[in-house]
Amino acid sequence: MSIGSVVGFTAVVFASLLRGDPWPWPLDFLPHPAWTPALAVFAVLALGAVIGLINGCLVTKLHLQPFVVTLCGLFIYRGAARWFADDKVRGLGVEFETMRYILYGNRIFLGLPMSLVILLLLAAVATVFLHLSVYGRYFFAIGSNERAAAYSGIVTDRYKILAYTLCSTLAAAFGILYLAQENSVQPSSTGNFLELYAIGGAVLGGCSLRGGEGTVVGILIGTAILWVLPNLSNMLGIRSQLEHTVIGAALLAGAILDEWLHRPGPSLFDPLKKLLGRTNPS
Amino acid sequence: MSETTSLLSARNISKAFPGVQALSNVCLDLSAGEVLAVVGENGAGKSTLMKILGGVYRPDAGEIRLDGRLVEFHSVAQAQQLGVALIHQELNLAENLDIAGNVFLGREPTSGGLFRLIHPRIYAEAENILAPLGLTISPRTRVGDLSIGQQQLVEIGRALALNARIIIMDEPTSSLTQRETDRLFEVIRDLKQAGIGVLYISHRLQEIERIADRVVVLRDGQYVGELRGEEIEHEAMVRMMVGRELKQFFHRTREETVQPPRTLLEGKNLRWLPKQKRGASFSLAAGEIVGLAGLMGAGRTELAEAIFGIRPLLDGEIYLEGRRLVPASPSEAIAAGIMLLPEDRRLQGLVLPASVKDNVVLASLMELSKARLVDRRREADVAEDMCRRLNIRTPSIYQTVALLSGGNQQKVALAKWLCRQPRVLLLDEPTRGVDVGAKTEIYALMDQLAREGMAILMISSDLEEILGMSDRVYVMYEGRLTGELKRSELSEEAVMRLATGGDSD
């Protein structure tokens, strides 16, 4: 729930570090040199990791409900972003062209936009991690049945913390890319609702919110659809004010379809299934 | 007892669940002002019978009469309306509501017309109902803040508020202290005075000696007889609860070994439940199958979980081959060669939506991986091998485990451990919900594993299984190890006596 705020916060921190902006109160007495891009990227990723680590520990060690912890994070890191930037828009202006070119420059690699290259790279790493490594298998097992995983000797707490840490680190990476692309961060709104887009994209791509199901490819497709939908509806002549409604309706349709295809036994859809010539498995 | 005077009369009640005939042709009568106890081993059908009388289940056959009038319960609400209240072992109270709110839940007197505001008189009325039961605290107290004994009284108060004439109590004392139990018995005597019929289920035979006017004994879902008055006595009840010949599907090869057994696992003065006062000691030798008998809730599962590192050990020491072992987590226990087949395979043993293969290799992923990347070929080989060895009947190793039969699921859960070559295997109810064919195979496998030198601790509530498979048996009662029986001392009566708190002699 908190990744949108984490994106906003890390983007603000990234911009401030690069420009050497003064630290916010009460740290404003500290020296504030401009950081080199490499160091700043590393520091911001580490910040994301620490945020995830905290969330993960709160969930596993203090047994707090994940939703509550991340909801609190949503508020806390949004506030932190506004505090860090003194509620002012942060950007890089005309500086750091090279870094921005590397992170965002168009068609520098095999004729592909850099953001796509990074996306594919991350997707490849995620695929290896989730679908080919032991850790990924543990994630799926924990997602499907945490108790059975624990009874099988998997140290579930460790992998849950790892999941939170990865999630927030990736959110920080997005914050960096966001700044490189847009060159301007609005501390009070950058990243708003991103968590909901992330969940929506995952669900649309076949992940189960109960856990233990989903593929990287599915998530890529789901997220892509989610981003393309507003454009699509625009082109179809639907007013842009309705863009969120279109997204919501698409998700709802997906959820209903999923329920229909998966739920055994009699259901509301039986007449429809009969119409389509599908028989119930049970 | 003639039909006309009986308050409740159940005739030829039968009920089957998939794979089990839980009750067949059970008859039972209850008169006003009588306390009738129903006893039997685990799985004898007591709870099923009570749930049928309380409207939770519908019987497959048979009839129920109240005051001689034929009735059919379609729901708990309907049974309550007709004056039958069932108090479950796990109390069903809304912890966040206050006492009065619980007593009148669903039947709140209202005022305010359309708004249906709850009338404040519920507090006075709740007080009137509860005070005679000895619960004199404010009816505005949140139920979650009450002790279990007080909550029980609230449940009884709820039954009285329903004008129940028959109150069914399922193991009412299982979480009560001695004092609370005494208090409950006083209340039951008062209920009797008021002409209410009480059906009482308990494993604790001493309590039944104290409170029951009549005892009905069930065994394997059948009525085996009843005792009344002076006849109600511990030994007599045990005799009726057991007493049948052993079926011949246990495979236990016993060879007289010359060398003394080599002790693998030893527990010294273990305490794993807060209620335990004294520590318990036990030992397991290589090549031995040791039964751990007792009734549900005796603390057997908790012992296995403590050895496996899932629940903390409160006190005492565990030795594996003479070396001190502190199992702080399952992964450490597994690394030491101690593995647990948990009681509830659907919740704890298996990842149901995953495939047979994924479940079989779940605990050996690190061992089967290269540089932390899974090796699908090797995984498939291991899974295929296990399916052959344990005769797991599945269309393929990629089949979802949820779709297999109970017996095959259990074999998958076992296969998960056999990949890791356990030295000590803790089996918690290994054949519960398993069909006869798979049972036989699991017994044969246990025998083979023991002959290969594994030490097996088998927790079971099935007496036949305990007697048929064990080389030695420990018996627990209420968190106490009440005795150890050698092969030559084993009999159903001996186990049952220890399991119900009788003395070992």
Side-chain angles (χ1 to χ4, degrees):
Chain A
M1 289 302 297
S2 56
I3 59 169
S5 297
V6 173
V7 166
F9 181 42
T10 51
V12 163
V13 172
F14 188 51
S16 306
L17 289 182
L18 285 176
R19 288 170 50 93
D21 288 335
W23 297 92
W25 178 90
L27 306 171
D28 41 12
F29 59 89
L30 293 169
H32 46 88
W35 295 38
T36 63
L39 199 60
V41 165
F42 182 76
V44 168
L45 290 179
L47 175 68
V50 168
I51 290 172
L53 197 66
I54 294 171
N55 282 347
C57 289
L58 287 173
V59 169
T60 54
K61 302 298 175 196
L62 292 186
H63 304 287
L64 301 182
Q65 285 181 29
F67 185 84
V68 173
V69 170
T70 54
L71 184 67
C72 295
L74 184 150
F75 288 108
I76 291 171
Y77 300 119
R78 176 62 58 201
R82 297 178 59 178
W83 160 74
F84 207 89
D86 200 17
D87 226 354
K88 295 191 184 85
V89 177
R90 286 286 157 107
L92 299 176
V94 291
E95 296 168 63
F96 301 104
E97 283 289 341
T98 330
M99 184 210 73
R100 287 189 52 220
Y101 188 74
I102 292 174
L103 288 179
Y104 178 59
N106 273 349
R107 292 180 177 73
I108 66 155
F109 191 74
L110 296 179
L112 297 171
M114 199 59 201
S115 38
L116 181 63
V117 173
I118 294 175
L119 174 72
L120 292 178
L121 217 73
L122 275 177
V125 172
T127 303
V128 171
F129 182 81
L130 274 182
H131 298 310
L132 300 179
S133 86
V134 173
Y135 306 113
R137 208 57 89 64
Y138 286 170
F139 278 13
F140 278 104
I142 293 170
S144 300
N145 186 347
E146 194 181 333
R147 279 182 80 187
Y151 274 80
S152 299
I154 296 169
V155 188
T156 52
D157 280 3
R158 185 188 301 161
Y159 294 103
K160 278 163 79 182
I161 292 174
L162 179 63
Y164 281 98
T165 308
L166 285 175
C167 174
S168 289
T169 311
L170 288 172
F174 184 81
I176 292 169
L177 293 176
Y178 183 92
L179 184 80
Q181 178 168 348
E182 302 289 325
N183 198 13
S184 139
V185 197
Q186 181 68 253
S188 60
S189 68
T190 292
N192 264 355
F193 290 123
L194 266 184
E195 54 279 332
L196 301 181
Y197 279 97
I199 296 171
V203 169
L204 211 54
C207 293
S208 159
L209 285 188
R210 266 165 268 117
E213 257 183 273
T215 57
V216 173
V217 175
I219 292 169
L220 279 183
I221 295 172
T223 320
I225 291 175
L226 212 57
W227 282 111
V228 169
L229 259 180
N231 285 336
L232 195 69
S233 66
N234 224 339
M235 287 195 288
L236 288 175
I238 300 170
R239 288 166 176 232
S240 64
Q241 293 98 312
L242 281 171
E243 124 190 349
H244 286 114
T245 311
V246 169
I247 292 175
L251 274 173
L252 193 61
I256 290 172
L257 201 69
D258 179 62
E259 192 65 21
W260 169 35
L261 292 175
H262 279 77
R263 172 71 51 92
S267 78
L268 266 176
F269 295 102
D270 282 350
L272 191 64
K273 285 190 193 177
K274 220 170 268 170
L275 208 69
L276 293 173
R278 277 184 73 107
T279 45
N280 240 320
S282 68
Chain B
M1 198 167 315
S2 72
E3 285 279 327
T4 45
T5 56
S6 80
L7 186 56
L8 171 83
S9 157
R11 287 278 153 266
N12 300 317
I13 302 288
S14 296
K15 176 82 185 171
F17 293 109
V20 217
Q21 183 71 37
L23 289 173
S24 35
N25 293 317
V26 172
C27 299
L28 180 144
D29 287 281
L30 176 71
S31 349
E34 184 186 35
V35 177
L36 173 62
V38 178
V39 300
E41 288 181 76
N42 294 334
K46 299 169 302 214
S47 287
T48 308
L49 180 59
M50 295 305 119
K51 282 181 179 156
I52 286 172
L53 297 178
V56 179
Y57 297 150
R58 297 190 61 186
D60 297 338
E63 54 180 48
I64 302 171
R65 283 171 192 275
L66 286 175
D67 298 323
R69 213 156 40 85
L70 194 63
V71 290
E72 255 183 67
F73 298 145
H74 296 285
S75 67
V76 178
Q78 200 194 356
Q80 289 179 346
Q81 230 164 34
L82 292 168
V84 183
L86 172 61
I87 299 178
H88 290 270
Q89 184 171 1
E90 308 87 25
L91 302 175
N92 288 314
L93 294 169
E95 299 204 337
N96 287 318
L97 295 184
D98 58 22
I99 294 179
N102 268 288
V103 169
F104 290 100
L105 191 62
R107 290 161 294 106
E108 294 85 353
T110 56
S111 64
L114 261 182
F115 294 108
R116 309 240 317 144
L117 303 177
I118 295 175
H119 202 285
R121 74 165 185 267
I122 61 167
Y123 292 103
E125 287 186 12
E127 223 157 6
N128 287 341
I129 291 170
L130 292 170
L133 301 179
L135 191 68
T136 48
I137 51 181
S138 160
R140 292 178 191 272
T141 315
R142 210 179 73 97
V143 159
D145 296 333
L146 301 179
S147 73
I148 301 289
Q150 290 170 323
Q151 291 187 9
Q152 193 108 47
L153 295 177
V154 173
E155 278 267 19
I156 294 172
R158 179 148 88 181
L160 295 178
L162 282 162
N163 292 318
R165 291 178 307 147
I166 297 162
I167 297 181
I168 304 172
M169 298 185 190
D170 191 354
E171 297 280 353
T173 57
S174 57
S175 12
L176 298 190
T177 63
Q178 189 56 47
R179 244 226 330 289
E180 287 172 329
T181 302
D182 293 342
R183 177 76 217 133
L184 178 71
F185 284 1
E186 279 169 41
V187 169
I188 290 177
R189 286 190 195 103
D190 291 344
L191 294 176
K192 246 174 89 162
Q193 290 290 311
I196 288 170
V198 177
L199 266 174
Y200 188 95
I201 310 186
S202 181
H203 278 131
R204 305 187 185 184
L205 301 181
Q206 288 100 324
E207 286 176 3
I208 287 171
E209 286 177 61
R210 277 174 66 191
I211 194 76
D213 299 316
R214 202 152 56 87
V215 175
V216 163
V217 185
L218 296 183
R219 188 201 303 153
D220 296 335
Q222 285 174 336
Y223 171 95
V224 282
E226 64 179 59
L227 301 164
R228 54 184 75 221
E230 289 297 301
E231 301 164 1
I232 301 176
E233 185 259 325
H234 200 276
E235 290 294 322
M237 283 188 273
V238 169
R239 246 195 324 275
M240 289 176 79
M241 282 160 69
V242 295
R244 77 208 120 151
E245 75 275 41
L246 282 185
K247 296 191 191 107
Q248 288 303 316
F249 51 75
F250 301 104
H251 299 267
R252 185 72 186 113
T253 330
R254 288 190 188 81
E255 293 152 17
E256 297 309 313
T257 42
V258 200
Q259 63 218 54
R262 183 170 57 93
T263 300
L264 257 183
L265 187 75
E266 202 176 4
K268 283 186 181 159
N269 299 314
L270 298 185
R271 273 184 64 239
W272 61 95
L273 295 171
K275 67 177 173 184
Q276 278 177 313
K277 287 184 193 71
R278 278 184 305 141
S281 300
F282 70 93
S283 70
L284 278 181
E288 192 180 35
I289 297 178
V290 175
L292 181 54
L295 299 165
M296 279 174 213
R300 298 166 299 163
T301 295
E302 291 80 356
L303 170 62
E305 289 184 347
I307 299 172
F308 189 56
I310 282 196
R311 77 176 45 233
L313 200 57
L314 302 178
D315 206 1
E317 290 152 16
I318 295 175
Y319 295 90
L320 185 66
E321 289 193 307
R323 287 234 301 280
R324 177 85 188 272
L325 180 79
V326 185
S329 70
S331 57
E332 287 170 44
I334 293 166
I338 301 176
M339 309 189 195
L340 167 71
L341 182 77
E343 184 179 21
D344 188 335
R345 63 175 165 269
R346 301 175 67 84
L347 275 179
Q348 303 156 338
L350 295 167
V351 180
L352 284 180
S355 68
V356 170
K357 182 209 73 171
D358 283 347
N359 272 286
V360 168
V361 301
L362 184 60
S364 348
L365 280 173
M366 284 294 181
E367 285 67 25
L368 295 177
S369 69
K370 267 190 216 124
R372 300 286 190 265
L373 295 182
V374 293
D375 184 339
R376 279 160 202 261
R377 166 75 58 74
R378 258 175 91 192
E379 282 183 7
D381 287 347
V382 168
E384 293 281 5
D385 185 47
M386 277 296 162
C387 284
R388 256 194 311 276
R389 189 167 154 206
L390 302 190
N391 195 18
I392 297 170
R393 274 178 287 274
T394 171
S396 94
I397 57 167
Y398 301 103
Q399 173 83 338
T400 305
V401 167
L403 300 177
L404 299 186
S405 73
N408 284 305
Q409 286 184 358
Q410 191 69 309
K411 287 192 244 169
V412 171
L414 256 171
K416 180 173 78 180
W417 293 133
L418 296 186
C419 298
R420 297 295 307 267
Q421 274 124 10
R423 297 154 78 197
V424 177
L425 197 53
L426 312 168
L427 305 175
D428 197 350
E429 302 286 359
T431 63
R432 181 182 287 169
V434 167
D435 57 286
V436 178
K439 256 187 186 178
T440 314
E441 290 175 17
I442 289 174
Y443 294 139
L445 178 71
M446 284 167 61
D447 180 53
Q448 186 206 335
L449 293 173
R451 272 186 287 138
E452 288 167 14
M454 202 179 289
I456 296 176
L457 181 71
M458 177 185 68
I459 297 175
S460 176
S461 298
D462 182 343
L463 261 183
E464 290 183 30
E465 182 170 290
I466 287 277
L467 296 186
M469 290 305 294
S470 314
D471 302 329
R472 202 152 54 86
V473 174
Y474 288 109
V475 189
M476 284 189 63
Y477 170 72
E478 302 275 307
R480 270 189 298 137
L481 214 54
T482 42
E484 177 187 348
L485 298 165
K486 295 197 180 58
R487 182 79 217 157
S488 55
E489 305 164 331
L490 265 182
S491 71
E492 299 205 16
E493 282 80 2
V495 174
M496 219 38 194
R497 196 184 316 114
L498 292 169
T500 49
D503 297 317
S504 57
D505 48 6

